[in-house]
Each structure stands twice: as C-alpha cells, then as structure tokens.
C-alpha cells in the first residue's frame, strides 16, 4: 500500500489521469500507474516530491531499516514473496547505505592514540616506526610508503629521493604502487576512496554467485537480493564506527568498532538462516566457506584496484 505512505500530494485530485486519461479512482492511475500529481507543480511541491521519491522518506525508509536490522533475512524474504511496496528497493537501499558509509568514512576525523598511532576501523593501528630504524630494505620502503600514505603528505625531499632510489630496485610490479604512495599519497588515497565503492558494487553479483554455489536449487535473484541486504547491514555497522569517531574518544571508538565487527558475523549467520532456513550448524559451515572464498576474491579485487589506481596517477 504505497498510497498511504506517500506524503499527501497537494490536493489536486484530477478526475482523469493526466498521462492516459483513464478515470481516477484513487491516488494512482489504475491503467498506467502514474500518481495523481498536479500539473505545473510549485517549487515546493517539486522538492517534496523529489525528496520523497529519492529517499523513501515516507516511512518506507524507516520500515526497511527496522526490518533489516531486527529480523535478519526477513527483508529478502519479503521481497521474494512479493511484499515490496512498504520497503525501499534493494538497489536503492544499497546505493544509499554505500553513499552514507563512504561519506562518513571520508569525513570522520582520524582518531589518534596517545602514542600517535592511527585507529583504522577502530582496531588496526598503524605502527609509526621511523624510516631508519628498520633493518631490511623491503621493510624500510614499505614503512616509508605506509607512513607517507597514512600522513597524506609526501616525504621531505631528501628522504624521498633516497626512498625513490630504493623503490627503483624493488620488484617491478610493486614499483608504481610504492612510488605513488611516496609522491602523491593524498591523490592515491582519493583515487582508492573513489574506486572502492564501485569495486564493492561490482562484487555484489560475485558474492551472489558464491552463495548460489552453496545454496542450490534456487533462482539467482534470490541470492542477489540476499547479497544486497547483507552488504547494507555491513555498511550500517561500519557507519556506526565512523560516526563514533566524531566523538574523538578512542575507548568509545574501540568499543563501537568491536561491537559492529562482532555483530557482522552474528548477523550474517542469523540472516543466512532467516532467509535460507536449515540448521544453525549447516548455515555456519556454509557461511564460513562463503566468507573465506569471498574474502579471497575481495583481496584479489582490492589489490588489482589499488594497482590500477596507482597506475592512473
Ligand atoms: Zn494513467
């Protein structure tokens, strides 16, 4: 029942559909589906309409998120069984969640611990080893590249020249990546941040294929809906961590990060079971296998993407 949820369109109430001239019996045309909207809308009507259209900000958005979070696997079933009108479409939901997450990730402040290390996902900490104290050349180059990338600032000229000279002796396939980290860390970072959402989006159908290998005898779109809904939850959980960074309190960030990182596998297990049914053990086993294959796929895609971005610069 979309009609009840859409904010009351300015009371135009034409007698016939403006699109196909069929007589109107409700807020939507029974023949062509067009909503009964006033011709020549005012700017305000247009804005309200566009906002409701894009965001589903008419109750559908809240209903969708609530169902997704509280009833793992249920949203996918709802779509498959045809109860769709009260929810935002999976694709739009994914795009919104991805946009929100990457906006937060790009704007959230770095949370630094007392010793100057940076929190990543709230958990990983980048060691801040000085360039000269590491023994091997590979470590020296790697650390310099990581520090420069992390600081988003190119190294000082002298240090930079010596590192670039060392990079010239590194394995050829690693050179573009290392060099770009040293010479243009900010641009490299930006390039990766721009490519990452596209890469994850492109991997959705791949994830669905992997799931299909383990849950046979179902149609592919079911796996695709499931993949989308699961990824949306992951974006929501990671967004919470990014949000917590705005408090600039490392202990709080660590707690929120731990909760969301633990929450993801727990949710995934419940979602697999909620959508596909079957025993907990069977779902867990398949989930671990799916997770391992997908992580390996993501790692390959990620390395390829980083390499590609480093070549573009
Ligand atoms: Zn019509």
């Amino acid at each position: 029942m979309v009609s009840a949820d859409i904010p009351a369109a300015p009371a135009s109430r034409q007698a016939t559909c403006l699109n196909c001239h069929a007589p109107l019996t409700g807020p939507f045309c029974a023949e062509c589906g067009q909503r009964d909207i006033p011709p020549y809308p005012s700017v305000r009507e247009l804005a309200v309409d566009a906002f409701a259209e894009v965001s589903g900000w008419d109750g559908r958005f809240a209903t969708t998120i609530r169902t997704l979070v509280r009833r793992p696997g249920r949203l996918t079933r709802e779509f498959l069984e045809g109860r769709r009108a009260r929810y935002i479409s999976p694709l739009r939901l994914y795009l919104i969640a991805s946009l929100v997450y990457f906006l937060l990730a790009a704007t959230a402040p770095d949370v630094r611990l007392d010793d100057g290390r940076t929190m990543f996902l709230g958990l990983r900490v980048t060691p801040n080893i000085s360039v000269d104290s590491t023994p091997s050349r590979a470590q020296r180059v790697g650390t310099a590249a990581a520090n420069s990338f992390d600081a988003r600032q190119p190294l000082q000229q002298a240090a930079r020249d010596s590192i670039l000279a060392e990079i010239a002796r590194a394995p050829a396939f690693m050179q573009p990546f290392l060099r770009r980290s040293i010479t243009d860390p900010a641009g490299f970072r930006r390039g990766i941040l721009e490519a990452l959402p596209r890469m994850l989006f492109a991997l959705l159908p791949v994830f669905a294929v992997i799931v299909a290998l383990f849950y046979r005898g179902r149609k592919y779109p079911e796996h695709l809906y499931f993949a989308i809904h699961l990824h949306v939850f992951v974006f929501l959980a990671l967004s919470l961590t990014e949000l917590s960074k705005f408090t600039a309190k490392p202990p709080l960030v660590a707690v929120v990060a731990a909760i969301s990182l633990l929450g993801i596998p727990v949710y995934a297990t419940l979602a697999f079971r909620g959508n596909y049914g079957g025993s907990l053990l069977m779902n867990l086993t398949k989930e671990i296998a799916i997770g391992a294959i997908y992580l390996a796929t993501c790692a390959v895609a990620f390395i390829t993407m980083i390499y590609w971005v480093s070549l573009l610069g």
Side-chain angles (χ1 to χ4, degrees):
M1 298 301 279
V2 174
S3 53
D5 294 326
I6 300 264
S12 61
R13 296 293 166 257
Q14 328 285 331
T16 57
C17 173
L18 293 174
N19 184 51
C20 70
H21 306 294
L24 284 175
T25 53
F28 290 85
C29 173
E31 283 300 317
C32 74
Q34 175 163 294
R35 188 142 57 89
D36 177 20
I37 37 139
Y40 301 103
S42 70
V43 171
R44 193 180 158 275
E45 285 162 355
L46 184 75
V48 168
D49 200 55
F51 183 69
E53 191 75 22
V54 171
S55 67
W57 203 263
D58 46 23
R60 279 186 302 153
F61 186 76
T63 308
T64 310
I65 297 295
R66 207 166 43 230
T67 308
L68 180 84
V69 173
R70 286 198 195 157
R71 313 284 301 270
R74 166 60 87 76
L75 193 56
T76 310
R77 288 247 71 80
E78 291 279 276
F79 261 83
L80 289 168
E81 289 164 12
R83 290 181 293 276
R84 299 182 185 199
R86 70 190 87 167
Y87 305 109
I88 294 185
S89 82
L91 190 59
R92 190 188 291 172
L93 183 65
Y94 180 91
L95 294 176
I96 294 175
S98 161
L99 184 74
V100 166
Y101 169 70
F102 283 105
L103 270 180
L104 284 174
T107 52
D110 279 338
V111 179
R112 292 198 178 268
L113 301 172
D114 290 341
D115 57 6
R117 293 178 303 171
T118 319
M119 298 180 87
F120 175 76
L121 278 181
L123 293 180
R124 191 204 76 174
V125 279
T126 317
N128 219 1
I129 310 161
S130 85
V131 175
D132 320 66
S133 70
T134 45
S136 83
R137 174 155 52 93
Q139 272 177 314
R140 206 154 55 229
V141 170
T143 309
N147 280 348
S148 163
F149 184 78
D150 198 41
R152 300 165 208 205
Q153 271 174 16
L155 293 173
Q156 303 290 326
Q157 191 64 47
R160 178 172 158 173
D161 286 347
S162 84
I163 289 293
L164 284 175
E166 301 216 23
I167 288 176
R169 284 182 287 163
F173 74 95
M174 288 185 69
Q175 289 189 15
F177 159 72
L178 290 169
R179 204 174 289 126
R180 189 93 197 274
S181 302
I182 300 287
T183 55
D184 179 23
F188 191 25
R189 227 184 150 93
R190 202 180 327 112
I192 292 175
L193 272 181
E194 282 170 10
L196 199 55
R198 293 172 212 172
M199 183 197 96
L200 289 175
F201 186 68
L203 282 173
L204 273 177
V206 179
F207 181 81
V209 167
I210 300 171
V211 173
L213 293 176
F214 288 87
Y215 293 92
R216 304 273 184 150
R218 292 160 189 262
K219 291 182 181 154
Y220 179 71
E222 167 166 4
H223 306 304
L224 201 52
Y225 280 153
F226 181 77
I228 290 178
H229 288 144
L230 189 55
H231 279 73
V232 169
F233 180 84
V234 174
F235 278 132
L236 289 181
L238 297 180
S239 294
L240 273 188
T241 306
E242 295 303 322
L243 264 183
S244 73
K245 288 184 183 170
F246 286 96
T247 66
K249 293 193 172 72
L252 181 75
V253 177
V255 168
V256 174
I259 291 173
S260 49
L261 287 188
L262 284 175
I264 289 169
V266 171
Y267 180 89
T269 308
L270 296 173
F272 270 108
R273 198 159 176 231
N275 183 60
Y276 293 105
S279 76
L280 184 62
L281 186 66
M282 189 266 290
N283 277 292
L284 255 183
T285 317
K286 290 183 175 184
E287 184 196 336
I288 290 170
I290 291 168
I293 298 174
Y294 187 54
L295 277 184
T297 312
C298 283
V300 171
F302 188 68
I303 291 167
T304 312
M305 181 271 281
I306 287 187
Y307 195 70
W308 173 253
V309 170
S310 75
L311 286 176
L312 288 179

